[in-house]
Amino acid sequence: MPPSYAHVVTALRSAGCVFAEDEARLLLTAARTPAELTAMVDRRAAGRPLEHVLGWAEFSGLRIAVEPGVFVPRRRTEFLVGQAVGLALAVASEAPVVVDLCCGSGAVGAALVASLPGAELHAADIDPVAVRCARRNVGERGRVYEGDLFGPLPRGLRGRIGILAANVPYVPSGEVGLLPPEARDHEPLVALDGGGDGLDVLRRVLAEAPEWLAPGGSLLVETSERQAGPAVELFAEVGLIPRIETSEDLHANVIIGRRGLGGGGA
């Protein structure tokens, strides 16, 4: 006899799942057989992220495929997508060149091309599992490369990128162990650990970003509230014109750095 809704809710509550009722409905809908449902409930009760159990995450109105071991796109990152779409629509006279750096599952890139018809999308990640997942999500709408930051991107993109979304890891190394078990035990360290102050990967992106951005193009990154001030200073040091956008509802902080129309920060 298949587990009932009440049984699944009880099992999830006992495992500490805060949204047990919502998760139970999703699992019951996703499972094709009673045996599969039991296995899915067991995996979730053991602490695996719900999205890894389901095989997908909802993001910006899309169903994004996520495999075990791949960073799960956060709902707060939808704010970054909204900011990027607004910028692209405001300044682009033609289809923009969009790059999703540290792309993970490719959620940001997939959401951007869904909102920007005709956009030329390129995405990259250093994790081969994430790259495989991103290629599923991006499909024929863009190209996904495996490699470190700008390294695998086509050289012909230099100076042409209108929107550069870099969802870099920004958790300080010493705080990774304080993350919820779902993240620290089941998501790749490379997608979480931002170095001593959490800004190491951002520094590496900023070191090259100005030469890749088109005049008037923008780099967008997500960061924590306490890192926003130091991060803005880093943007300014490389000649990008920075500003901070925040969403209290999504608890999101996005820094946008624009390259000047003359190629510098002015």
Side-chain angles (χ1 to χ4, degrees), residues 160-178:
R160 293 184 54 230
I161 300 173
I163 296 294
L164 173 56
N167 200 14
V168 299
Y170 56 87
V171 180
S173 299
E175 298 178 18
V176 171
L178 304 178

Side-chain angles (χ1 to χ4, degrees), residues 82 155 227:
R155 301 298 98 179
Q227 291 168 320

Side-chain angles (χ1 to χ4, degrees), residues 59-60 62 80-86 88 96 98-100 106-117 119 121 141 163-165 220:
F59 184 81
S60 290
L62 303 176
L80 183 151
V81 170
Q83 293 294 311
V85 170
V98 175
V99 168
D100 180 7
V108 169
L112 288 173
V113 293
S115 298
L116 299 169
L121 172 66
R141 295 172 295 175
I163 296 294
L164 173 56
L220 299 94

Side-chain angles (χ1 to χ4, degrees), residues 20-252:
E21 291 83 359
D22 293 338
E23 293 190 12
R25 282 188 279 271
L26 288 169
L27 292 171
L28 283 161
T29 300
R32 292 165 293 186
T33 66
E36 185 176 36
L37 176 59
T38 298
M40 292 174 77
V41 172
D42 288 346
R43 289 198 297 273
R44 179 61 182 134
R48 292 191 178 276
L50 175 66
E51 295 82 0
H52 287 172
V53 175
L54 293 172
W56 56 270
E58 183 181 348
F59 184 81
S60 290
L62 303 176
R63 182 170 287 195
I64 300 295
V66 289
E67 300 180 18
V70 172
F71 182 80
V72 176
R74 306 318 198 230
R75 294 299 295 271
R76 64 174 175 267
T77 307
E78 293 177 356
F79 182 65
L80 183 151
V81 170
Q83 293 294 311
V85 170
L87 285 169
L89 294 177
V91 303
S93 58
E94 56 186 33
V97 176
V98 175
V99 168
D100 180 7
L101 214 57
C102 302
C103 70
S105 65
V108 169
L112 288 173
V113 293
S115 298
L116 299 169
E120 178 184 339
L121 172 66
H122 301 265
D125 199 283
I126 197 171
D127 182 358
V129 180
V131 169
R132 182 174 68 238
C133 196
R135 285 175 176 156
R136 289 175 59 192
N137 289 314
V138 169
E140 298 299 317
R141 295 172 295 175
R143 297 184 63 186
V144 183
Y145 312 89
E146 181 181 337
D148 188 25
L149 299 182
F150 296 96
L153 295 180
R155 301 298 98 179
L157 291 179
R158 286 179 182 269
R160 293 184 54 230
I161 300 173
I163 296 294
L164 173 56
N167 200 14
V168 299
Y170 56 87
V171 180
S173 299
E175 298 178 18
V176 171
L178 304 178
L179 292 172
E182 291 182 5
R184 69 171 188 261
D185 295 340
H186 299 285
E187 294 182 317
L189 184 62
V190 71
L192 303 171
D193 191 342
D197 62 355
L199 300 175
D200 282 1
V201 184
L202 175 59
R203 289 187 181 92
R204 294 183 56 217
V205 170
L206 286 169
E208 298 188 53
E211 65 186 89
W212 288 86
L213 288 171
S218 294
L219 165 65
L220 299 94
V221 302
E222 187 178 272
T223 191
S224 70
E225 183 177 0
R226 65 187 168 99
Q227 291 168 320
V232 162
E233 293 179 5
L234 294 174
F235 272 70
E237 286 174 7
V238 300
L240 297 180
I241 306 168
R243 73 175 193 269
I244 303 174
E245 298 290 345
T246 62
S247 167
E248 293 185 3
D249 291 341
L250 292 174
H251 305 287

Side-chain angles (χ1 to χ4, degrees), residues 239-241 258-266:
L240 297 180
I241 306 168
R258 182 176 63 84
R259 180 185 172 189
L261 295 176

Side-chain angles (χ1 to χ4, degrees), residues 1-5 7-8 28 34 37-38 41:
M1 183 176 179
S4 65
Y5 169 76
H7 176 84
V8 173
L28 283 161
L37 176 59
T38 298
V41 172

